[in-house]
């Protein structure tokens, strides 16, 4: 494999329309470095996004992309992987996209365990639509749609992923690009569905979960020697106790992925297979109906 | 000449298996069979029946009448007696109930203690086999007629079970032979039938088979009556070719997945029925604007909403043609026969690739679930060859990349922008749900908006609906033109023949493509007819409205609609046709 | 006489607030204002502008041309100069950039160092206030013209902020006064304007206000541009009346929730735009077959799919009328003005209750987001009274229960089955998505299927689309008939007046109801016109197709379509109208 | 309140079309008894169902009902409660309905916490459509749609509810009607969203999770003196350890419900309020736009 650099990605990327300081810049940067570090070229990667500020991730990443609809990145991403298992598939979107309208797909992607990486840029707000309550906004949070404070309890992505059987659960922070990069690398290398929830400040519409606020409150579990990400119940407990204010690899489990379970699913990607075989099998195929 | 037989009982009594054994056995003997299942959206207790029409020649519907009814219970008599011909037989489960008939009917009741026979020679669950034996006797089959099939079906349960079933069949045969002299005469089997290879399949099977032949390798779907059988067939077929049947979490995901696979270059489809199809509305738009091919099969059932899951209707044409916000290009096909299903699904994949748009294949419960005898010669694996449209090869992409770079949504004269695939070096690109530039960058400026919209509209201009999907039979300048679409072809054809036999000048125009609409062909046919009758299985007259929209309004256009959930009977269309003929005659006399 | 002003810059520079301050201030002075926002689906950096049309009389669109442009950057000049009238002024942010103009334009550039002024007298974020001050000077307002407004808007940030803003305004005023002699003349304000009470609101506001007046107490929705403003208005209005604004997890849930509330007897609605509306397709069918009232507002934006979130289009008529599998009864209204929005949403609730079906209110971005001056007398709270239709009282239910029992889906002559509510003793019943008996029991027998379907169709027979929703103005037997629907009314009206002023005989038919279609009125108008031009903001010609479907095909019917995402300009329609007039004239000359 | 008996419910109920022996019979019976025990009359109760065998729950219950679409019982049910808080609202459906197509609504209903009861008749199979894999079917389970065995890991309803912030999580078994009735009563009395997942055998299509199988494997936590349903992490752990093979009240938390959080939401149901008030407020309402 000839060497690849971040420049190869930047060559395809568009000029950004994110607000200066937006946490999502770090996400793109970390992902580019992770991909480069893994020796992956832009044409070997597909980013599948939903709609939101975060949904523009793919414009700035510079790989292949499918920018699907609001909440629908995961079904498209899983399908692309099934069609061409040689591709590295990254689904990406926002907290509203992934845990609001799209949460059903998320739960089912966790249990289906197709080998893709899912990056959620979790800013606890609807950014693109200029500041409404998101499913991860805390109860009582005041936004344009909840001037009296949000009435609902927030979605808690990490417990949710754990409860849904997700085999790789991590949380990163846009304020620490290096750590984020390491999480992305681990997630991409993980066999099966991998979630990286990124606490990614929206500097324009969320004045509460700021860089400083996160920095003050987050605990990096990767740095805790006594933390073992192999025990699901323990992970759940720690996340609960620390009120999800953690970063690092929360849980990781080696196991078969969806494709391993499929009958007669070839190591050679479907896309490269010969379509004309059924013609030769005509008699046999018809015999089943006689 | 044909013979019609029906077996009825409560859901859960093995009515379907009995019907299928009867049908398949006669199919194998050389008859042409059409089998129609009547069932309900509940698990136990409802009335269910299985009707088998047996003929020496091919035909396309279940037949209005009945020669013989096998009744497990009184309800089976009550619900089906009206179909029985004068002098027809009712073979009933004697001992299980005392059959009651209205005073004035001419029917031959034949009591055989089928349940008792089953108990005595096997077990009570084999009551249906006693009915089979008795039926064999009455229609003049040998007592071992079903042996082969029984071995096939029950072999996996062991030799004992097979033997018990056979015993029960024989006992039923004996009992019926003794109890009555009534005998049905099956039609002759022409010699050529025996030479011909034929398959017994329904529309859903043909869709599955056609999809595999078309190179479809991923099917993502969510179970729903009456479409799930497509999955069952595909589960048998696809893994052989490394393909995948994926049960999605819902129909939105299923359709998005089909889009995703197609984006990655693998032919993929989803299959569903109305309620699931409505959930795909959003994804139609995505496929439309991102110009991603996708094939959606909608096996229509009676709507709206949950509606009547086990009843048939042609109610989804509007949803197929007009749904999704904004304006997208699409193609809607409506196969009329099992063979059409096989070919149209292949065409659908070619069209989706060629025009880079969603292609919707509308069948319905009647076509999807009614198994029929089809000549193997009519299931030609080579008639339609795979055409992937403007799909670039690795080399082409490299060349384009070297000459200015690849643009996914390049403005072209044809309106079609060649597709690169992810994984091809130099072809890095974005497929996108926003309006966009040629490069696939989100863009809202009028220039790109207008040029991309015009491009998308332009690409359909080479699609000629009349190239296929339009069948015209009968007289050129008919007194009466019958127009139909989809699964009603068999009944309409019989009506045409019946009227022609009476010396009427009739024609039959049948459409298997609804969008883009075959305007010219329809106009010509309508304008050369004395009067027109549009026949469809719905209440709103969706085809008639499409004709008004695309062709025009005609005083001599009438309609014949049925929306009870049942397929048409020939007699219903015939009497409406006669009304129209009478009307138009009287108009002429006055005018 | 009118005056048009526009301010443009990068998203995030306070362009919207500046525009709004300018507009509202002139509105309060007694002018009629139409304000149009141009923005993009991104947060920072895109070009945004705010156009204000100022007039002494009421009108309904933004105006084609521009008297004065305030430009924060070169892009604002590049994108908007083509609108500027000859001799118009460009007030630019001197020092921030050096403006470039094409050589041949007749424009008065006026440089004011707005950013510097803001820095010097307040802070850089007040650059827009410097622009306001400079604008005030050039259009002849007093330097304190915006004071009241500034206090209102920035009061909550403290007196200091208010003072700083005012200072910047004054400094901008001074600077501009000195730098140029160019002055715009604002129209006279008629005395009666000053006596009239007027409000400044957009279609979304009017929908919200009308909903509250109609007794709507629950709104379940999911945020989406350009519909979210309806929620913002309702969040201010509803809690006062104990009502609830519920942000649902998605649009499917939102619409199902609106159905649930209506089932329980509380008027409820959902509001969305295209992508969300497509997700409600399923629920349309549910409301249809369960005969539950529900009101859905679709503020159309440019589709398909994600499309262009901040651009306008009339692209969802087909989805509104035809979508959802199977066949359901529904009503589709399309308000043309802010006042229409206020009344039509009230009508929608009455119609939904009366016909127990979904009622869809189609507005669009242009109508939904453009704030206008409206006479308070035209926002009449008592014009439309609440009519809950056949909703049974506790007593009525008890009586019915005593006389044979309550049947939710009773077959009635009118087709409308009176509704009991859960909680009423004796009225226990089932609302259901399956086909059903009169009692609401799931049922697939042809008898119930047919009688329930016929009942549902019958109930719409008393709906007369021509009772409202059809406006005809101009000549009776015109040379040219212009037909439009929804938000294009202002431009079409100006075209009609312009042609009339040239001595042409013109009429304008405007539809605010699309389904059931006002066939008779449209036919009469079309058949009495020399030629017809159908004007709509889409590419497919959806209204034109509806006319073909319901009324007929006409050789003298032409179309004028715009699908760039922008509202029509008067000139665009006018030139197309002149083409049609010329054509039809030459045809006449030949024939 | 005059006395109510099960007969009052039966008077409205339809004849059943469930298979003899279906677990769902017990669910209806237990619910009727629970409602009667709480003194609730049929007209005070609304059952909101999805589509499935389980979706026919309302036909046999004999209260008011809205039989919505597949997967959509919860949005309708929450709305009915908001419109008329005097009604007792029971949402009910199957595992496919609630955890498959409808799981997004479920997650959000948990966090929204509207005061309704949700009963899932969990038979680990699609019953009505005659035996396909459901989201709770175990990995490897063979059905018509997975002849080679299900490839996905199952949804685990109890951890999922716990992770989603559900305030009342219980599991019952159709083989123990009395216990089920007690769970229903507790769920209905719970303030806020309450889940009762009922292990309800499908005797026709699921030959694995039979009455006997459940009886052998289930542990009733209500009978464990040392089990405290007030600790979310502990609940998660026990459920994980016992592989969800538990019955009883798994978790319960007293707290405010959605309606408590709404600004100016009246104790008097919305449905009984006067609609004409805005007319009197005309000037004030318009003033906001001047
Ligand atoms: C079906 C549908 N509903 C609503 C929208 C409008 N919409 C676009 S992005 C968005 C929310 C964005 O929030 P999030 O996913 O958190 O992304 P962020 O912008 O915060 O990165 C919404 C509601 C849409 N595009 N489609
Ligand atoms: C949108 C939609 N998709 C699919 C169906 C078909 N369908 C009806 S019930 C059902 C599954 C039933 O399984 P479950 O929810 O577990 O209920 P059960 O019958 O097992 O009680 C399906 C797939 C439908 N009615 N609507
Ligand atoms: S609005 Fe928030 S999320 Fe969006 S680009 Fe700006 S900072 Fe980032
Ligand atoms: S199929 Fe299963 S779930 Fe449905 S009624 Fe029969 S036993 Fe119950
Ligand atoms: Mg967000
Ligand atoms: Mg189930």
């Amino acid at each position: 494999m000839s060497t690849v650099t971040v420049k190869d990605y930047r060559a395809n990327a568009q000029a950004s329309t994110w607000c200066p300081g937006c946490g999502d810049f770090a996400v793109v940067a970390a992902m580019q470095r992770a991909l480069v570090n893994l020796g992956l070229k832009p044409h070997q990667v597909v980013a599948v996004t939903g709609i939101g500020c975060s949904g523009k991730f793919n414009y700035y990443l510079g790989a292949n992309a499918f920018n699907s609809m609001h909440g629908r990145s995961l079904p498209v991403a899983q399908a692309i992987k099934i069609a061409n298992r040689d591709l590295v598939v990254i689904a990406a979107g926002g907290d509203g996209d992934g845990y609001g309208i799209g949460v059903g797909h998320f739960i089912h992607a966790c249990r289906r365990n197709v080998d893709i990486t899912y990056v959620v840029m979790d800013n606890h707000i609807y950014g693109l639509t200029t500041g409404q309550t998101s499913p991860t906004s805390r109860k009582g949070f005041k936004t344009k749609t909840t001037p009296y404070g949000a009435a609902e309890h927030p979605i808690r992505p990490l417990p949710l992923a754990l409860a849904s059987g997700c085999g790789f659960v991590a949380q990163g922070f846009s304020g620490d690009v290096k750590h984020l990069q390491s999480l992305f690398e681990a997630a991409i290398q993980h066999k099966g569905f991998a979630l990286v929830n990124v606490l990614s400040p929206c500097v324009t519409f969320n004045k509460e979960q700021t860089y400083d606020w996160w920095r003050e409150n987050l605990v990096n579990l990767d740095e805790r020697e006594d933390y073992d990400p192999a025990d699901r119940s323990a992970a759940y407990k720690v996340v609960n106790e620390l009120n999800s204010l953690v970063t690092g690899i929360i849980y990781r489990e080696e196991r078969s992925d969806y494709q391993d379970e499929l009958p007669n699913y070839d190591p050679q990607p479907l896309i490269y297979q010969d379509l004309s075989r059924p013609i030769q099998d005509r008699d046999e195929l018809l015999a089943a109906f006689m | 000449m044909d013979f019609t037989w029906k077996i009825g009982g409560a859901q859960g009594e093995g009515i379907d298996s009995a019907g299928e054994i009867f049908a398949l056995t006669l199919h194998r003997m050389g008859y042409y069979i059409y089998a129609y299942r009547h069932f309900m959206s509940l698990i136990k207790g409802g009335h269910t029946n299985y009707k088998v029409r047996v003929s020496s020649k091919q035909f396309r519907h279940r037949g209005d009448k009945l020669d013989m009814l096998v009744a497990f219970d009184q309800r089976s008599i009550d619900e089906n007696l009206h179909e029985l011909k004068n002098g027809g037989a009712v073979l009933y489960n004697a001992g299980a109930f005392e059959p009651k008939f209205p005073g004035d009917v001419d029917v031959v009741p034949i009591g055989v203690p089928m349940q008792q026979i089953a108990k005595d020679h096997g077990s009570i669950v084999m009551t249906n086999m006693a009915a089979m034996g008795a039926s064999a006797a009455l229609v003049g089959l040998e007592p071992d007629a079903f042996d082969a099939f029984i071995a096939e079906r029950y072999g996996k349960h062991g030799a004992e079970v097979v033997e018990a079933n056979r015993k029960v069949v024989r006992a039923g045969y004996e009992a019926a032979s003794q109890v009555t002299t009534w005998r049905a005469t099956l039609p002759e089997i022409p010699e050529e039938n025996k030479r011909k290879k034929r398959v017994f399949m329904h529309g859903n099977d043909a869709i599955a088979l056609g999809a595999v032949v078309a190179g479809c390798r991923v099917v993502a779907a969510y179970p729903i009556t009456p479409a799930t059988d497509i999955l069952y067939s595909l589960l048998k077929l696809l893994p052989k070719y490394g393909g995948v049947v994926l049960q999605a979490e819902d129909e939105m995901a299923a359709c998005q997945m089909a889009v995703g696979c197609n984006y990655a270059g693998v032919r993929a489809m989803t299959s569903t029925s109305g309620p699931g199809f409505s959930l795909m509305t959003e994804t139609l738009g995505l496929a439309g604007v991102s110009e991603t091919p996708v094939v959606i099969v909608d096996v229509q059932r009676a709507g709206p909403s949950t509606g009547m899951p086990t009843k048939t209707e042609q109610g989804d044409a509007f949803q197929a043609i007009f749904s999704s916000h904004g304006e997208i290009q699409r193609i809607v096909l409506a196969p009329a026969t099992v063979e059409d299903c096989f070919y149209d699904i292949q065409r659908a994949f070619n069209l989706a690739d060629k025009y880079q748009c969603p292609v919707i294949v509308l069948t319905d419960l009647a076509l999807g679930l009614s198994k029929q005898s089809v000549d193997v010669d009519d299931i030609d694996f080579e008639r339609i060859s795979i055409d992937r449209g403007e799909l670039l090869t690795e080399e082409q992409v490299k060349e384009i990349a070297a000459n200015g770079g690849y643009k996914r949504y390049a403005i072209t004269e044809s309106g079609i922008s060649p597709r690169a695939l992810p994984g091809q070096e130099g072809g890095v690109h974005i497929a996108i749900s926003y309006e966009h530039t040629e490069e696939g960058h989100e863009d809202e400026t009028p220039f790109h908006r207008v040029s991309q919209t015009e491009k998308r509209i332009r690409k359909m201009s080479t699609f000629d609906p009349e190239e296929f999907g339009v069948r015209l039979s009968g007289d050129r300048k008919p007194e009466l033109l019958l127009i139909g679409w989809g699964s009603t072809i068999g009944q309409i054809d019989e009506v045409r023949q019946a009227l022609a036999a009476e010396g009427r000048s009739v024609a039959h125009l049948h459409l298997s493509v609804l969008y883009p609409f075959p305007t010219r062909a329809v106009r010509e046919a309508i304008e050369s007819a004395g009067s027109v009758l549009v026949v469809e299985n719905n209440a709103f007259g969706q085809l008639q409205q499409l004709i008004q929209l695309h062709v025009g309004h005609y005083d001599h256009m009438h309609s014949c609609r049925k929306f009870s959930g049942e397929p048409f009977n020939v007699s219903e269309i015939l009497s409406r046709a006669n009304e129209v003929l009478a009307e138009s005659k009287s108009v002429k006399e006055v005018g």
Side-chain angles (χ1 to χ4, degrees), chain A, chain B:
Chain A
M1 209 180 268
S2 73
T3 48
V4 52
T5 69
V6 168
K7 273 193 201 141
D8 294 320
Y9 285 89
R10 295 215 183 111
N12 301 316
Q14 300 165 49
S16 171
T17 57
W18 282 330
C19 309
C22 175
D24 296 351
F25 284 105
V27 179
V28 167
M31 183 58 80
Q32 287 174 332
R33 291 185 213 171
L35 293 169
V36 165
N37 220 22
L38 296 171
L40 293 161
K41 296 187 182 170
H43 75 276
Q44 299 170 315
V45 176
V46 186
V48 185
T49 49
I51 303 296
C53 289
S54 44
K56 298 177 194 253
F57 169 85
N58 66 281
Y59 304 156
Y60 318 133
L61 182 69
N64 288 297
F66 198 122
N67 189 190
S68 183
M69 309 190 69
H70 188 44
R72 312 280 173 241
S73 62
L74 285 174
V76 174
Q78 294 169 76
I80 292 171
K81 185 71 185 183
I82 288 167
N84 186 346
R85 65 191 306 173
D86 278 356
L87 294 170
V88 167
V89 181
I90 318 280
D95 41 331
D97 193 84
Y99 306 134
I101 191 168
V103 75
H105 304 308
F106 172 62
I107 303 288
H108 288 282
C110 286
R111 67 188 203 86
R112 189 172 292 119
N113 204 26
V114 175
D115 185 18
I116 64 171
T117 297
Y118 185 34
V119 177
V120 179
M121 285 155 261
D122 183 1
N123 54 16
H124 295 35
I125 194 92
Y126 283 5
L128 185 65
T129 44
T130 72
Q132 299 85 18
T133 299
S134 112
T136 53
S137 301
R138 70 162 174 84
K139 187 153 168 281
F141 194 58
K142 290 188 182 176
T143 72
K144 286 187 190 166
T145 44
T146 53
Y148 316 95
E152 288 101 343
H153 301 260
I155 289 258
R156 299 175 309 144
L158 304 180
L160 200 59
L162 289 169
S164 304
C166 185
F168 181 102
V169 183
Q171 185 155 277
F173 168 45
S174 291
D176 187 348
V177 182
K178 238 180 122 172
H179 186 219
L180 205 51
Q181 177 187 342
S182 75
L183 295 175
F184 288 160
E185 288 179 25
I188 292 167
Q189 286 176 309
H190 175 77
K191 182 176 159 71
F193 183 77
L195 168 72
V196 185
N197 192 64
V198 186
L199 305 166
S200 176
C202 170
V203 297
T204 304
F205 295 109
N206 184 338
K207 305 293 182 189
E208 199 170 286
Q209 278 78 36
T210 59
Y211 286 96
D212 284 348
W213 190 90
W214 287 121
R215 257 190 214 106
E216 268 162 43
N217 287 286
L218 286 173
V219 175
N220 185 343
L221 291 180
D222 286 349
E223 288 169 356
R224 271 210 192 169
E225 299 220 332
D226 60 335
Y227 185 74
D228 172 17
D231 180 340
R232 206 178 272 275
S233 291
Y236 186 88
K237 188 154 183 253
V238 168
V239 167
N240 246 6
E241 277 167 9
L242 296 177
N243 203 11
S244 292
L245 293 166
V246 294
T247 58
I249 296 177
I250 315 296
Y251 181 72
R252 170 156 53 180
E253 183 188 349
E254 302 295 328
R255 57 176 181 182
S256 63
D257 66 10
Y258 181 74
Q259 290 135 295
D260 292 332
E261 308 291 334
L262 294 175
N264 201 26
Y265 182 76
D266 211 84
Q268 197 200 11
L270 271 177
I271 172 74
Y272 300 126
Q273 292 175 27
D274 171 22
L275 297 186
S276 63
R277 279 175 50 208
I279 298 191
Q280 297 139 39
D281 299 342
R282 176 170 183 270
D283 293 345
E284 192 191 326
L285 287 170
L286 286 172
F289 297 99
M290 283 175 181
Chain B
M1 238 248 32
D2 61 12
F3 167 77
T4 42
W5 173 91
K6 183 186 272 188
I7 183 166
Q11 217 132 305
E13 291 187 314
I15 301 299
D16 271 8
S17 345
E20 189 132 326
I21 292 176
F22 191 78
L24 193 57
T25 301
L26 275 85
H27 163 81
R28 289 183 182 166
M29 288 169 63
Y31 288 111
Y32 284 90
I33 301 296
Y34 188 106
Y36 185 80
R37 275 177 72 199
H38 169 98
F39 61 114
M40 287 169 95
S41 182
L42 38 87
I43 300 302
K44 287 257 160 97
H47 171 69
T48 180
N49 68 56
Y50 195 103
K51 182 171 182 177
V52 182
R53 188 174 175 196
V54 184
S55 169
S56 48
K57 288 188 311 189
Q58 199 172 17
F59 55 92
R60 304 283 183 188
H61 84 114
R62 60 180 178 170
D64 292 13
K65 289 291 178 186
L66 205 51
D67 292 292
M68 177 178 163
L69 173 68
V70 185
F72 274 40
D73 51 23
Q74 182 62 38
R75 186 159 171 203
S76 297
I77 297 179
D78 297 343
E79 298 213 357
N80 299 290
L81 196 65
H82 65 99
E83 279 185 37
L84 203 70
K85 292 181 188 164
N86 281 340
V90 175
L91 173 67
Y92 67 92
N93 193 358
F97 72 105
E98 202 46 60
K100 279 178 277 302
F101 298 96
D104 55 345
V105 296
D106 172 14
V107 43
V108 183
I110 304 170
V112 170
M114 305 190 266
Q115 193 172 314
Q116 193 55 47
I117 289 171
K119 264 193 210 157
D120 294 349
H121 297 85
S123 92
I124 190 164
V125 299
M126 297 172 189
T127 305
N128 58 351
M129 289 299 138
M132 298 313 297
S135 293
L138 299 184
V139 304
L141 297 178
E142 296 302 313
D144 63 358
F146 306 121
D147 278 11
F149 193 99
I150 288 170
E152 253 173 58
R153 174 154 282 192
Y154 300 106
K156 60 173 180 244
H157 301 299
E160 237 167 86
V161 174
V162 170
E163 200 36 48
N165 272 291
R166 288 183 179 167
K167 261 202 206 143
V168 173
V169 169
R170 276 180 185 65
Y173 191 96
E174 294 308 323
S177 306
Q178 285 158 21
V179 85
T180 179
T181 57
W182 188 92
R183 291 291 180 279
T185 10
L186 289 182
E188 285 289 308
I189 305 176
E191 266 314 302
E192 52 159 8
N193 285 19
K194 295 181 185 157
R195 283 193 308 272
K196 272 191 197 161
K197 276 199 174 172
R198 292 157 333 114
V199 286
F200 186 56
M201 55 166 59
H202 51 39
N204 283 343
D205 287 331
I207 291 275
L209 188 62
V212 172
V213 172
C216 171
R217 289 296 174 269
V218 179
V219 177
Y222 188 81
I224 188 165
T225 307
T228 320
D229 286 78
I230 296 178
L231 295 188
Y232 300 153
S233 272
L234 284 164
L235 278 161
K236 286 185 210 134
L237 298 166
L238 263 188
K240 198 177 156 79
Y241 302 102
V244 178
V245 177
L246 194 158
Q247 183 176 327
E249 57 269 30
D250 60 27
E251 289 88 348
M252 293 188 293
C255 198
Q256 294 266 343
M257 284 170 171
V259 167
C261 281
N262 277 293
Y263 160 77
V266 169
R267 284 191 160 180
M269 70 172 204
T270 184
S271 54
T272 188
S273 187
F277 188 38
S278 278
L279 289 173
M280 298 177 181
T281 305
E282 152 184 86
T283 313
L284 285 175
L286 174 68
V289 76
S290 71
E291 303 199 51
T292 314
V294 67
V295 173
I296 301 168
V297 177
D298 172 17
V299 187
Q300 299 164 97
R301 68 189 211 186
S305 200
T306 312
M308 306 199 294
T310 63
K311 295 288 163 277
T312 199
E313 188 173 79
Q314 299 181 301
D316 298 353
F318 282 170
Q319 164 73 9
I321 296 170
F322 295 112
S323 74
S324 207
H325 66 282
E327 304 181 314
I328 61 152
Q329 287 61 35
R330 68 184 103 193
I331 293 168
V332 181
L333 305 180
T337 65
V338 167
E339 296 90 318
D340 275 8
C341 287
F342 177 74
Y343 297 119
D344 280 354
I345 190 77
Q346 295 178 63
R347 291 191 182 105
F349 278 102
N350 283 350
L351 291 168
D353 267 343
K354 174 165 183 189
Y355 295 107
Q356 303 179 11
C357 72
V359 179
I360 297 145
V361 179
L362 282 182
T363 69
D364 59 24
L365 183 141
L367 176 57
L369 293 188
S370 300
K371 290 201 178 171
Q372 306 169 40
S373 306
V374 176
D375 291 342
V376 151
D377 288 348
D378 291 337
I379 303 290
D380 181 351
F381 277 48
E382 284 165 64
R383 182 178 304 175
I384 294 170
S385 46
I386 294 175
D387 176 358
R388 299 297 313 263
E390 300 200 30
L391 199 58
L392 298 169
T393 62
E394 191 95 34
E395 289 64 49
Q396 290 173 315
V397 170
K398 278 202 190 115
E399 208 188 298
I400 292 173
N403 294 307
Y406 172 67
K407 294 179 176 176
R408 170 64 189 97
Y409 300 106
I411 300 288
T412 59
E413 212 177 308
S414 67
I416 292 162
S417 315
R419 286 170 70 207
L421 295 181
Q424 292 176 329
E425 218 171 330
V428 171
H429 71 277
I430 300 177
I432 183 167
S433 69
Y434 284 104
E435 193 53 273
H436 44 258
T437 62
E438 289 186 81
E439 291 80 12
H441 298 171
E442 177 193 356
D443 196 288
E444 302 197 333
T445 55
F447 171 75
H448 294 295
R449 166 60 168 188
V450 170
S451 56
Q452 288 293 330
T453 302
E454 285 174 348
K455 179 183 92 70
R456 289 191 296 263
I457 292 177
R458 187 162 67 241
K459 73 177 174 181
M460 293 305 292
S461 62
T462 59
F463 177 81
D464 178 7
E466 276 139 43
E467 245 181 49
F468 58 91
V470 179
R471 286 181 177 92
L472 185 60
S473 54
D475 295 336
R476 285 299 108 169
K477 287 193 171 289
E479 246 184 299
L480 177 69
L481 170 70
L482 299 156
I483 309 186
W485 63 283
S487 71
T488 55
I489 194 166
Q491 294 96 314
I492 302 179
D493 191 53
E494 288 194 28
V495 170
R496 180 184 64 78
Q497 292 189 28
L499 289 170
E502 288 173 24
R504 295 295 203 159
S505 159
V506 205
H508 173 192
L509 178 69
H510 210 81
L511 306 184
S512 301
V513 57
L514 294 183
Y515 194 83
F517 198 75
T519 305
R520 194 184 45 76
V522 174
R523 171 170 299 126
E524 277 176 23
I526 289 180
E527 297 189 347
S528 58
S531 44
V532 177
L533 185 62
V534 184
V535 180
E536 49 191 328
N537 244 164
N538 60 43
F540 281 18
Q542 301 192 21
L543 174 59
Q544 189 167 10
Q545 292 197 42
L546 291 172
I547 294 174
Q548 289 178 1
L549 165 54
H550 295 289
V551 187
H553 295 240
Y554 294 95
D555 284 342
H556 71 309
M557 183 160 74
H558 304 82
S559 83
C560 176
R561 301 177 192 171
K562 183 173 184 178
F563 47 94
S564 65
E566 292 290 317
F568 276 105
N569 284 335
V570 168
S571 61
E572 291 159 343
I573 306 173
L574 198 55
S575 72
R576 186 81 185 90
N578 278 320
E579 262 172 44
V580 169
L581 282 166
E583 251 178 62
S584 60
K585 210 177 144 207
S586 72
V587 169
K588 267 181 213 136
E589 274 166 2
V590 173

